[in-house]
Amino acid sequence: MQVNGFLKKSRLWIVFTPLAVFALLILVKFLTLAFKDAAPEAEEPAVVERGSIVDRNGKPLAVQSVYYHFGVTPKMIKDREDFASIVAPYINISKDDLIANLEANNNSKFMYIQKNLQQDQYESLRSAINKSSYKNAVSFEHNAGRVYPENELASQLIGYMGTDSRGLSGIEYSQQALLQPVPDKNAKGTIFGNNIHLTIDANLQYKLEQISKRAMETTQAESLMLIAADSRSGEILSYISLPEANLNEYSSSSSMERLDRPAVTSYEPGSVFKIFSTAAFLDSRSITTSQQFVCDGIYQRTTNRGETIRITCLEHHGALTVRDALKYSCNDALAQMSESIGTDSFLQYIHDFGFGERTEVELPSETKGSVKDQNDRLWSARSKPTMSIGQEISVSALQMVQAATVLANQGRMVKLTFIKKITDKDGKDLENHTVTYGNQVLRSDTAKYILSCMETTTQSGTGSKAALGDISIGVKTGTAQMADPVKGGYSDTDFLSNCMAIFPVENPQIILYIVIQKAKGETYAGRIVAPVIAEAADEIIDHLGLTRSGAASLEHSGTVHIDDTEEIVITTKVPDFTGKSKRELLPLLEREDLSIQIKGEGWVVRQWPAAGSPVTENMSIELYLE
């Protein structure tokens, strides 16, 4: 048989040569890739754990938490009935609703079933999913969250952290860089934020909030502010703004509940301001303590330009000294005193007290208030006497408290603060608050005299309902008409009632200031806010252990019995370690089936995983102490 002439050798070379070259190229490429260094794996970006916010005693007020978003690819769920039976017991969705959701999103590539699962929910659900055939169809997203153990306590001060891990208000906002530092681009692992120790005492805050809420109910007021500060250090011990928001339900709160009134709102303080204007008159030696001013119920004067000034007084007080004028809160006498001081000098004292400027506390959006000068288009011959009685000037509650530190510290201002100290993740102090003094605003004898006048006001004047009996307290009350935003001018129905208190008078330690806005019925400050001052001051004195005159002395044997601490038992669920001391935790280190990590000194303020999480073999439990 003759071979077909088509398969000649020359033609075979033409066919197979390109194939051989192609095969050789593939082999070379394979060998190149085989011996080439492996590309480095993409590294996980650094994770930042946000620092905690605690009170002055280390009580947790805002702590890091972990939430999980649970999602699914609907197309991969072939048996929805079976899937829903496995998942529904661990989430807040019924079996039928879950099936309906899956069917409604059948064509979706991905859908969230439930967001913000707690740690214990996540652990249980993931365990159930892993035992099923659906683990490739579901996903869990790890998210950093925030828990506020005390709910609404001091909510406007603490503030709130949003879903993007950034503070939206309060300390959470102003101290964002300390709480959650931005990691360097080359950072790896976990970066820990610093802890903020506030100056407030959470237990005292709670007690004063209860008093304030009762006052709100009694007066049917629209809002209330109350600040208690250590006059010697400027540390704010309690900071209240009602109504308030529950920080764990912040998204559903109202704008009124979120409003930080003491910092961001300004108002005319009325007669409380007289303690500062009178101090200016005396300190400038424009008047003397023995000088008398005759009140006939109205201050009236006509200027050279024909402008008539009229300021009424509630009574015809007759001849009054400076002490009497403050005792009876006489508008006529204060307006007469204002004639004796130069306008520039008077305004300088007002600014030296801190009015018209921010106090620069650690809170966002603080108001400057408003202090007019002679170049202001609204300035008139009436302005100086009117400002001396607390009108035609707007202030914040924080400004009022800081100005009061001048009276409590022999004429020298002390700057206010909300931060006691800053610590790292292990509880090591990074920064401690030190007292910051401002200018010497008054002579010490002027400050001392004004305090004595405030004590007289308590003993027999408009502030008599704030008297304590066994501890000296100086107060000044004030009732001011509020502006009418619709008609202009002053409202006939809306009033602001406030009271400033400093105690003990002979050795000032505490400044207490309260503001009640738009009370219904009785609005006179001496009747509605002075009693609240007395109740709050009593609570502060007992809480801080200030010595009361005539207090009973108790003898003690000197022996203190400490009960044995109960052994911590870990079985199937992680217990709540909050408040446990390091000494109580040490026996846990002997456990071979668990990895217990104790970080810091003192008592447990936070833990991971959360209390109630299922205990698993070789589980790692992290406990943070402060």
Side-chain angles (χ1 to χ4, degrees):
M1 184 177 65
Q2 186 178 3
V3 178
N4 191 334
F6 180 79
L7 296 175
K8 291 183 179 181
K9 289 185 178 180
S10 58
R11 291 183 177 179
L12 290 174
W13 277 108
I14 293 171
V15 173
F16 288 108
T17 298
L19 291 175
V21 172
F22 182 69
L24 182 61
L25 289 174
I26 292 176
L27 179 62
V28 171
K29 185 68 174 178
F30 172 78
L31 292 173
T32 301
L33 292 174
F35 290 101
K36 185 178 180 181
D37 291 337
E41 292 184 9
E43 295 181 347
E44 292 286 335
V47 175
V48 181
E49 182 169 323
R50 193 176 182 88
S52 297
I53 300 175
V54 301
D55 83 337
R56 67 187 298 113
N57 301 310
K59 187 171 187 176
L61 301 175
V63 295
Q64 177 85 335
S65 182
V66 177
Y67 295 101
Y68 297 86
H69 294 345
F70 174 41
V72 66
T73 303
K75 291 181 179 179
M76 298 179 68
I77 307 297
K78 302 304 180 183
D79 189 340
R80 298 190 181 106
E81 180 82 21
D82 181 54
F83 178 78
S85 298
I86 295 171
V87 170
Y90 302 101
I91 60 176
N92 300 323
I93 301 174
S94 71
K95 179 180 174 181
D96 290 341
D97 287 342
L98 178 53
I99 293 172
N101 287 343
L102 290 170
E103 290 178 349
N105 293 275
N106 184 56
N107 296 322
S108 301
K109 293 182 179 179
F110 179 81
M111 64 172 283
Y112 284 112
I113 292 180
Q114 189 165 2
K115 293 185 176 183
N116 298 329
L117 292 174
Q118 300 287 341
Q119 181 71 30
D120 56 344
Q121 284 181 287
Y122 161 74
E123 294 280 358
S124 301
L125 178 57
R126 180 154 198 158
S127 177
I129 290 289
N130 286 342
K131 295 174 183 177
S132 72
S133 60
Y134 303 106
K135 58 183 179 181
N136 293 327
V138 305
S139 67
F140 292 94
E141 291 180 11
H142 176 286
N143 293 277
R146 205 65 160 161
V147 171
Y148 300 94
E150 301 300 321
N151 296 313
E152 70 272 8
L153 190 86
S155 61
Q156 293 93 345
L157 168 60
I158 297 168
Y160 178 73
M161 188 192 81
T163 55
D164 61 350
S165 296
R166 296 194 62 82
L168 299 179
S169 62
I171 295 295
E172 291 275 37
Y173 175 85
S174 69
Q175 305 303 307
Q176 170 72 22
L178 285 173
L179 289 165
Q180 191 162 353
V182 177
D184 183 85
K185 63 180 181 180
N186 298 319
K188 303 174 184 177
T190 302
I191 308 297
F192 293 91
N194 295 319
N195 301 316
I196 306 295
H197 294 246
L198 300 179
T199 57
I200 67 164
D201 183 317
N203 291 330
L204 179 62
Q205 175 82 13
Y206 174 79
K207 293 173 183 178
L208 297 186
E209 281 190 8
Q210 298 310 301
I211 291 173
S212 299
K213 288 174 181 177
R214 289 196 295 271
M216 279 270 287
E217 292 173 3
T218 301
T219 61
Q220 299 179 61
E222 180 180 280
S223 64
L224 181 149
M225 296 178 263
L226 187 142
I227 301 174
D230 185 323
S231 61
R232 300 159 299 181
S233 66
E235 294 178 358
I236 295 176
L237 305 176
S238 182
Y239 186 78
I240 297 170
S241 177
L242 299 179
E244 59 197 341
N246 183 334
L247 293 175
N248 291 309
E249 300 174 0
Y250 192 78
S251 59
S252 61
S253 63
S254 67
S255 58
M256 284 287 287
E257 292 170 331
R258 294 191 292 268
L259 183 62
D260 181 8
R261 295 169 187 79
V264 306
T265 62
S266 60
Y267 54 89
E268 292 186 353
S271 292
V272 174
F273 195 78
K274 291 172 182 175
I275 56 178
F276 305 118
S277 53
T278 303
F281 304 149
L282 286 169
D283 199 72
S284 63
R285 294 188 169 89
S286 301
I287 61 173
T288 66
T289 57
S290 60
Q291 192 172 343
Q292 290 197 331
F293 305 86
V294 178
C295 167
D296 59 5
I298 187 170
Y299 169 82
Q300 185 166 310
R301 182 170 68 85
T302 302
T303 68
N304 295 333
R305 297 181 178 181
E307 184 179 357
T308 300
I309 306 165
R310 290 170 56 90
I311 297 176
T312 59
C313 193
L314 293 176
E315 301 286 345
H316 291 66
H317 293 115
L320 300 172
T321 62
V322 173
R323 184 179 298 276
D324 295 330
L326 288 176
K327 173 181 174 179
Y328 297 116
S329 198
C330 179
N331 289 344
D332 189 351
L334 264 290
Q336 292 177 53
M337 293 179 200
S338 71
E339 294 177 358
S340 62
I341 190 172
T343 300
D344 289 339
S345 179
F346 179 56
L347 292 176
Q348 187 59 56
Y349 271 103
I350 289 177
H351 283 289
D352 288 346
F353 273 114
F355 297 110
E357 302 294 336
R358 296 181 180 91
T359 65
E360 298 183 351
V361 293
E362 304 87 353
L363 284 175
S365 306
E366 185 185 2
T367 181
K368 295 171 67 174
S370 176
V371 178
K372 294 188 298 186
D373 60 31
Q374 295 181 80
N375 297 319
D376 193 291
R377 65 182 182 85
L378 297 177
W379 183 271
S380 69
R382 178 190 173 89
S383 294
K384 186 170 63 171
T386 304
M387 289 172 71
S388 72
I389 63 172
Q391 296 178 356
E392 286 194 42
I393 182 173
S394 68
V395 304
S396 72
L398 283 170
Q399 287 176 336
M400 291 290 282
V401 173
Q402 184 159 280
T405 66
V406 174
L407 303 178
N409 288 280
Q410 302 183 51
R412 191 176 185 185
M413 179 179 288
V414 174
K415 296 290 186 179
L416 299 179
T417 183
F418 285 106
I419 297 181
K420 179 75 173 173
K421 66 178 180 179
I422 299 168
T423 62
D424 66 12
K425 67 181 180 67
D426 296 320
K428 180 182 178 182
D429 290 0
L430 301 177
E431 184 179 328
N432 282 277
H433 169 248
T434 55
V435 181
T436 303
Y437 293 100
N439 297 326
Q440 187 75 33
V441 179
L442 303 173
R443 300 190 311 274
S444 60
D445 61 324
T446 303
K448 184 177 180 180
Y449 180 77
I450 295 296
L451 273 178
S452 71
C453 291
M454 292 174 69
E455 183 177 20
T456 300
T457 301
T458 310
Q459 294 169 339
S460 56
T462 57
S464 59
K465 290 187 179 294
L468 299 175
D470 53 0
I471 281 188
S472 60
I473 182 170
V475 305
K476 182 69 189 81
T477 61
T479 307
Q481 285 178 283
M482 298 182 68
D484 188 327
V486 178
K487 299 179 181 178
Y490 289 102
S491 170
D492 294 327
T493 57
D494 296 338
F495 292 86
L496 180 145
S497 308
N498 61 146
C499 182
M500 179 69 72
I502 302 174
F503 60 92
V505 172
E506 64 278 2
N507 179 29
Q509 297 179 49
I510 300 296
I511 295 170
L512 186 57
Y513 181 58
I514 185 172
V515 180
I516 290 181
Q517 291 180 299
K518 297 186 180 180
K520 293 180 174 59
E522 179 63 71
T523 59
Y524 184 58
R527 298 193 184 102
I528 69 169
V529 292
V532 184
I533 285 287
E535 188 178 1
D538 260 329
E539 195 64 67
I540 293 170
I541 291 165
D542 289 341
H543 186 84
L544 299 182
L546 301 184
T547 304
R548 293 180 180 271
S549 60
S553 297
L554 299 176
E555 291 188 358
H556 195 277
S557 65
T559 301
V560 178
H561 176 70
I562 301 176
D563 294 329
D564 292 334
T565 55
E566 187 175 333
E567 181 182 356
I568 300 173
V569 178
I570 304 177
T571 53
T572 59
K573 298 286 185 181
V574 175
D576 184 355
F577 292 98
T578 305
K580 298 296 184 182
S581 67
K582 191 169 186 178
R583 183 171 66 87
E584 294 175 84
L585 300 174
L586 292 179
L588 298 178
L589 298 178
E590 299 176 4
R591 294 279 295 255
E592 296 181 355
D593 59 329
L594 298 172
S595 173
I596 307 294
Q597 300 177 44
I598 301 175
K599 301 179 180 182
E601 299 291 335
W603 291 265
V604 177
V605 296
R606 56 193 173 93
Q607 67 183 72
W608 190 91
S613 300
V615 174
T616 58
E617 188 176 356
N618 298 320
M619 171 184 273
S620 177
I621 298 176
E622 298 177 9
L623 304 174
Y624 298 86
L625 283 62
E626 292 178 7

PDB file of all heavy atoms in Angstrom, residues 197-210:
ATOM      1  N   HIS A 197     -10.830  59.464  82.746  1.00  0.00           N
ATOM      2  CA  HIS A 197     -11.423  59.464  84.077  1.00  0.00           C
ATOM      3  C   HIS A 197     -12.047  60.840  84.313  1.00  0.00           C
ATOM      4  O   HIS A 197     -11.336  61.838  84.424  1.00  0.00           O
ATOM      5  CB  HIS A 197     -10.361  59.185  85.151  1.00  0.00           C
ATOM      6  CG  HIS A 197      -9.773  57.809  85.071  1.00  0.00           C
ATOM      7  ND1 HIS A 197      -9.959  56.858  86.061  1.00  0.00           N
ATOM      8  CD2 HIS A 197      -9.010  57.210  84.117  1.00  0.00           C
ATOM      9  CE1 HIS A 197      -9.327  55.747  85.715  1.00  0.00           C
ATOM     10  NE2 HIS A 197      -8.754  55.937  84.541  1.00  0.00           N
ATOM     11  N   LEU A 198     -13.365  60.880  84.350  1.00  0.00           N
ATOM     12  CA  LEU A 198     -14.062  62.145  84.554  1.00  0.00           C
ATOM     13  C   LEU A 198     -13.964  62.600  86.005  1.00  0.00           C
ATOM     14  O   LEU A 198     -13.659  61.822  86.908  1.00  0.00           O
ATOM     15  CB  LEU A 198     -15.532  62.004  84.154  1.00  0.00           C
ATOM     16  CG  LEU A 198     -15.807  61.621  82.698  1.00  0.00           C
ATOM     17  CD1 LEU A 198     -17.301  61.501  82.458  1.00  0.00           C
ATOM     18  CD2 LEU A 198     -15.195  62.624  81.737  1.00  0.00           C
ATOM     19  N   THR A 199     -14.254  63.879  86.216  1.00  0.00           N
ATOM     20  CA  THR A 199     -14.253  64.427  87.576  1.00  0.00           C
ATOM     21  C   THR A 199     -15.547  64.128  88.311  1.00  0.00           C
ATOM     22  O   THR A 199     -15.602  64.248  89.539  1.00  0.00           O
ATOM     23  CB  THR A 199     -14.060  65.955  87.537  1.00  0.00           C
ATOM     24  OG1 THR A 199     -15.102  66.524  86.714  1.00  0.00           O
ATOM     25  CG2 THR A 199     -12.698  66.324  86.960  1.00  0.00           C
ATOM     26  N   ILE A 200     -16.594  63.756  87.574  1.00  0.00           N
ATOM     27  CA  ILE A 200     -17.878  63.548  88.244  1.00  0.00           C
ATOM     28  C   ILE A 200     -17.844  62.267  89.074  1.00  0.00           C
ATOM     29  O   ILE A 200     -17.133  61.322  88.756  1.00  0.00           O
ATOM     30  CB  ILE A 200     -19.066  63.503  87.255  1.00  0.00           C
ATOM     31  CG1 ILE A 200     -18.986  62.270  86.349  1.00  0.00           C
ATOM     32  CG2 ILE A 200     -19.164  64.770  86.447  1.00  0.00           C
ATOM     33  CD1 ILE A 200     -20.290  61.966  85.639  1.00  0.00           C
ATOM     34  N   ASP A 201     -18.614  62.273  90.126  1.00  0.00           N
ATOM     35  CA  ASP A 201     -18.807  61.105  90.984  1.00  0.00           C
ATOM     36  C   ASP A 201     -20.147  60.497  90.586  1.00  0.00           C
ATOM     37  O   ASP A 201     -21.199  61.117  90.781  1.00  0.00           O
ATOM     38  CB  ASP A 201     -18.811  61.556  92.447  1.00  0.00           C
ATOM     39  CG  ASP A 201     -18.933  60.405  93.429  1.00  0.00           C
ATOM     40  OD1 ASP A 201     -19.744  59.498  93.182  1.00  0.00           O
ATOM     41  OD2 ASP A 201     -18.247  60.429  94.466  1.00  0.00           O
ATOM     42  N   ALA A 202     -20.130  59.312  89.992  1.00  0.00           N
ATOM     43  CA  ALA A 202     -21.362  58.712  89.450  1.00  0.00           C
ATOM     44  C   ALA A 202     -22.428  58.511  90.518  1.00  0.00           C
ATOM     45  O   ALA A 202     -23.624  58.705  90.256  1.00  0.00           O
ATOM     46  CB  ALA A 202     -21.043  57.381  88.765  1.00  0.00           C
ATOM     47  N   ASN A 203     -22.017  58.113  91.710  1.00  0.00           N
ATOM     48  CA  ASN A 203     -23.003  57.905  92.778  1.00  0.00           C
ATOM     49  C   ASN A 203     -23.649  59.216  93.193  1.00  0.00           C
ATOM     50  O   ASN A 203     -24.862  59.295  93.394  1.00  0.00           O
ATOM     51  CB  ASN A 203     -22.337  57.228  93.985  1.00  0.00           C
ATOM     52  CG  ASN A 203     -21.936  55.799  93.686  1.00  0.00           C
ATOM     53  OD1 ASN A 203     -22.563  55.120  92.877  1.00  0.00           O
ATOM     54  ND2 ASN A 203     -20.873  55.335  94.323  1.00  0.00           N
ATOM     55  N   LEU A 204     -22.831  60.269  93.327  1.00  0.00           N
ATOM     56  CA  LEU A 204     -23.383  61.581  93.661  1.00  0.00           C
ATOM     57  C   LEU A 204     -24.236  62.095  92.508  1.00  0.00           C
ATOM     58  O   LEU A 204     -25.309  62.688  92.731  1.00  0.00           O
ATOM     59  CB  LEU A 204     -22.248  62.563  93.957  1.00  0.00           C
ATOM     60  CG  LEU A 204     -22.674  63.988  94.301  1.00  0.00           C
ATOM     61  CD1 LEU A 204     -23.525  64.010  95.574  1.00  0.00           C
ATOM     62  CD2 LEU A 204     -21.451  64.895  94.466  1.00  0.00           C
ATOM     63  N   GLN A 205     -23.779  61.890  91.291  1.00  0.00           N
ATOM     64  CA  GLN A 205     -24.551  62.303  90.113  1.00  0.00           C
ATOM     65  C   GLN A 205     -25.942  61.683  90.138  1.00  0.00           C
ATOM     66  O   GLN A 205     -26.941  62.367  89.892  1.00  0.00           O
ATOM     67  CB  GLN A 205     -23.816  61.877  88.840  1.00  0.00           C
ATOM     68  CG  GLN A 205     -24.562  62.133  87.538  1.00  0.00           C
ATOM     69  CD  GLN A 205     -24.442  63.548  87.040  1.00  0.00           C
ATOM     70  OE1 GLN A 205     -23.611  64.313  87.509  1.00  0.00           O
ATOM     71  NE2 GLN A 205     -25.270  63.917  86.083  1.00  0.00           N
ATOM     72  N   TYR A 206     -26.012  60.394  90.450  1.00  0.00           N
ATOM     73  CA  TYR A 206     -27.301  59.710  90.496  1.00  0.00           C
ATOM     74  C   TYR A 206     -28.218  60.331  91.561  1.00  0.00           C
ATOM     75  O   TYR A 206     -29.404  60.588  91.311  1.00  0.00           O
ATOM     76  CB  TYR A 206     -27.103  58.227  90.786  1.00  0.00           C
ATOM     77  CG  TYR A 206     -28.399  57.473  90.984  1.00  0.00           C
ATOM     78  CD1 TYR A 206     -29.174  57.080  89.902  1.00  0.00           C
ATOM     79  CD2 TYR A 206     -28.862  57.186  92.268  1.00  0.00           C
ATOM     80  CE1 TYR A 206     -30.368  56.408  90.081  1.00  0.00           C
ATOM     81  CE2 TYR A 206     -30.058  56.515  92.458  1.00  0.00           C
ATOM     82  CZ  TYR A 206     -30.813  56.128  91.364  1.00  0.00           C
ATOM     83  OH  TYR A 206     -32.012  55.466  91.551  1.00  0.00           O
ATOM     84  N   LYS A 207     -27.668  60.563  92.740  1.00  0.00           N
ATOM     85  CA  LYS A 207     -28.476  61.123  93.830  1.00  0.00           C
ATOM     86  C   LYS A 207     -29.007  62.516  93.471  1.00  0.00           C
ATOM     87  O   LYS A 207     -30.182  62.832  93.728  1.00  0.00           O
ATOM     88  CB  LYS A 207     -27.643  61.194  95.113  1.00  0.00           C
ATOM     89  CG  LYS A 207     -27.270  59.822  95.672  1.00  0.00           C
ATOM     90  CD  LYS A 207     -26.311  59.958  96.845  1.00  0.00           C
ATOM     91  CE  LYS A 207     -25.884  58.581  97.368  1.00  0.00           C
ATOM     92  NZ  LYS A 207     -24.898  58.698  98.481  1.00  0.00           N
ATOM     93  N   LEU A 208     -28.152  63.345  92.878  1.00  0.00           N
ATOM     94  CA  LEU A 208     -28.589  64.695  92.518  1.00  0.00           C
ATOM     95  C   LEU A 208     -29.544  64.681  91.331  1.00  0.00           C
ATOM     96  O   LEU A 208     -30.417  65.550  91.225  1.00  0.00           O
ATOM     97  CB  LEU A 208     -27.372  65.575  92.225  1.00  0.00           C
ATOM     98  CG  LEU A 208     -26.413  65.811  93.397  1.00  0.00           C
ATOM     99  CD1 LEU A 208     -25.335  66.824  93.020  1.00  0.00           C
ATOM    100  CD2 LEU A 208     -27.162  66.296  94.638  1.00  0.00           C
ATOM    101  N   GLU A 209     -29.390  63.697  90.444  1.00  0.00           N
ATOM    102  CA  GLU A 209     -30.354  63.571  89.346  1.00  0.00           C
ATOM    103  C   GLU A 209     -31.743  63.228  89.880  1.00  0.00           C
ATOM    104  O   GLU A 209     -32.751  63.722  89.361  1.00  0.00           O
ATOM    105  CB  GLU A 209     -29.897  62.514  88.343  1.00  0.00           C
ATOM    106  CG  GLU A 209     -28.819  62.997  87.395  1.00  0.00           C
ATOM    107  CD  GLU A 209     -28.558  62.030  86.251  1.00  0.00           C
ATOM    108  OE1 GLU A 209     -29.320  61.045  86.115  1.00  0.00           O
ATOM    109  OE2 GLU A 209     -27.599  62.262  85.490  1.00  0.00           O
ATOM    110  N   GLN A 210     -31.810  62.390  90.893  1.00  0.00           N
ATOM    111  CA  GLN A 210     -33.108  62.043  91.471  1.00  0.00           C
ATOM    112  C   GLN A 210     -33.767  63.272  92.093  1.00  0.00           C
ATOM    113  O   GLN A 210     -34.972  63.501  91.936  1.00  0.00           O
ATOM    114  CB  GLN A 210     -32.947  60.939  92.525  1.00  0.00           C
ATOM    115  CG  GLN A 210     -32.394  59.620  91.984  1.00  0.00           C
ATOM    116  CD  GLN A 210     -33.130  59.136  90.753  1.00  0.00           C
ATOM    117  OE1 GLN A 210     -34.341  58.906  90.791  1.00  0.00           O
ATOM    118  NE2 GLN A 210     -32.405  58.973  89.645  1.00  0.00           N
TER     119      GLN A 210
END
